[in-house]
């Protein structure tokens, strides 16, 4: 069974109604992203940051996977799939994907501000001031904010190095270090790029571009993959 690695970004979740960072002239739901997605924003106004992510969770609870998510999940019947996502929502899991690596954290988890190793699954959508870890410190969203290290990037690189097929869906390929993962893909393997606005990346050998939304593009690519590699 061939190893397929998919890198997904905000574009795949946008079709399910999840807002992206780059909507509305760089504002996210009316906020400068640095107010709600940076350590500085957290220290300045914890209540604002907590409320912001509470609203994102509330929205995500009612969001459903689209054809892009579902198609990737269904491909597990024919390929050994790892999904590396820049998204913090759980739509890949909702669709049935069993191996999802979240580069930028997970919306439905919280983390201790005293000990990064203390990560908790959340029940419901609210995380408030006064909610503390077992060490007595305030809990924060388990999100990788701007200016913070991306702890899962090394694991992501290892999966990309082992890939037999590489698919990029719904990402602008401008946010690093995720955007750099394509540089670790072996030259000889096929690379499929799906986005209504094809990222400005250097054309490579065995690279195929699909200027389409995630849902329709993934359906086309999945059909081709099954015909050619199964």
């Amino acid at each position: 069974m061939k190893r397929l690695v998919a890198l997904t970004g905000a574009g795949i979740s946008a079709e399910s109604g999840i807002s992206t960072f780059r909507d509305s002239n760089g504002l996210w739901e009316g906020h400068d992203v640095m107010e709600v997605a940076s350590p500085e924003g957290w220290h300045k106004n914890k209540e604002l940051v907590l409320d912001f992510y509470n609203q994102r969770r509330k929205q995500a609870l009612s969001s459903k996977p689209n054809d892009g998510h579902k198609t990737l999940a269904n491909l597990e019947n024919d390929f050994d799939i790892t999904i590396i996502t820049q998204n913090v929502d759980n739509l890949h899991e909702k669709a049935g994907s069993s191996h999802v690596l979240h580069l930028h954290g997970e919306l439905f988890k919280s983390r201790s501000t005293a000990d990064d190793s203390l990560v908790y699954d959340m029940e419901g959508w609210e995380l408030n001031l006064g909610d503390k870890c077992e060490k007595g410190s305030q809990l924060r969203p388990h999100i990788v904010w701007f200016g913070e290290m991306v702890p899962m990037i090394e694991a992501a690189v290892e999966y990309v190095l082992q890939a037999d097929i590489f698919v990029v869906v719904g990402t602008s390929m401008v946010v690093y270090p995720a955007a750099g993962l394509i540089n670790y893909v072996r030259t000889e393997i096929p690379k499929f790029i799906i986005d209504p606005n094809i990222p400005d990346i250097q054309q490579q050998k065995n690279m195929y571009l699909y200027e389409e939304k995630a849902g329709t593009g993934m359906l086309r690519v999945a059909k081709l993959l099954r015909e050619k590699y199964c």
Side-chain angles (χ1 to χ4, degrees), residues 10-168:
I12 194 170
S13 291
E15 290 183 52
S16 295
I18 301 291
S19 301
T20 72
F21 272 110
R22 298 184 182 277
D23 284 348
S24 304
N25 299 318
L27 297 180
W28 198 18
E29 298 293 322
H31 295 283
D32 182 315
V33 294
M34 299 307 288
E35 292 180 351
V36 293
S38 73
E40 293 79 12
W42 170 252
H43 291 303
K44 181 180 178 181
N45 193 337
K46 292 181 175 64
E47 193 166 9
L48 172 66
V49 174
L50 290 170
D51 181 66
F52 178 81
Y53 286 99
N54 284 344
Q55 297 309 312
R56 304 289 73 71
R57 283 186 213 95
K58 193 174 182 180
Q59 178 192 43
L61 282 174
S62 61
S63 298
K64 296 180 180 179
N66 59 61
D67 284 341
H69 301 104
K70 293 174 185 176
T71 302
L72 279 168
N74 290 338
L75 279 171
E76 287 193 8
N77 295 320
D78 303 293
F79 297 91
D80 177 5
I81 295 187
T82 298
I83 295 174
I84 301 169
T85 187
Q86 295 169 268
N87 300 332
V88 298
D89 60 62
N90 59 354
L91 291 174
H92 282 300
E93 289 88 346
K94 279 186 176 181
S97 289
S98 60
H99 191 197
V100 184
L101 189 156
H102 287 268
L103 283 180
H104 296 158
E106 297 181 63
L107 192 57
F108 287 95
K109 291 185 178 181
S110 63
R111 185 169 86 234
S112 168
T113 51
D115 184 346
D116 286 348
S117 69
L118 296 177
V119 178
Y120 306 89
D121 291 322
M122 289 185 61
E123 295 183 8
W125 55 270
E126 287 191 278
L127 181 64
N128 299 308
L129 282 177
D131 292 341
K132 297 181 179 181
C133 73
E134 60 205 63
K135 293 186 175 181
S137 290
Q138 174 67 42
L139 291 170
R140 56 162 280 182
H142 183 50
I143 304 292
V144 177
W145 287 328
F146 288 101
E148 293 185 322
M149 299 293 289
V150 180
M152 298 304 293
I153 194 65
E154 291 184 7
V157 168
E158 289 303 312
Y159 284 115
V160 172
L161 287 169
Q162 297 170 23
D164 299 311
I165 302 163
F166 189 66
V167 180
V168 177

Side-chain angles (χ1 to χ4, degrees), residues 7-16 65-72 75 87 91-92 167-171 192-198 210-222:
L7 173 64
T8 69
I12 194 170
S13 291
E15 290 183 52
S16 295
N66 59 61
D67 284 341
H69 301 104
K70 293 174 185 176
T71 302
L72 279 168
L75 279 171
N87 300 332
L91 291 174
H92 282 300
V167 180
V168 177
V169 192
T171 173
F192 300 88
I193 314 295
I194 303 166
D195 197 274
N197 300 298
I198 295 297
Y210 292 80
E211 197 166 356
E212 299 184 46
K213 289 184 177 181
T216 54
M218 268 310 310
L219 287 168
R220 282 186 61 190
V221 169

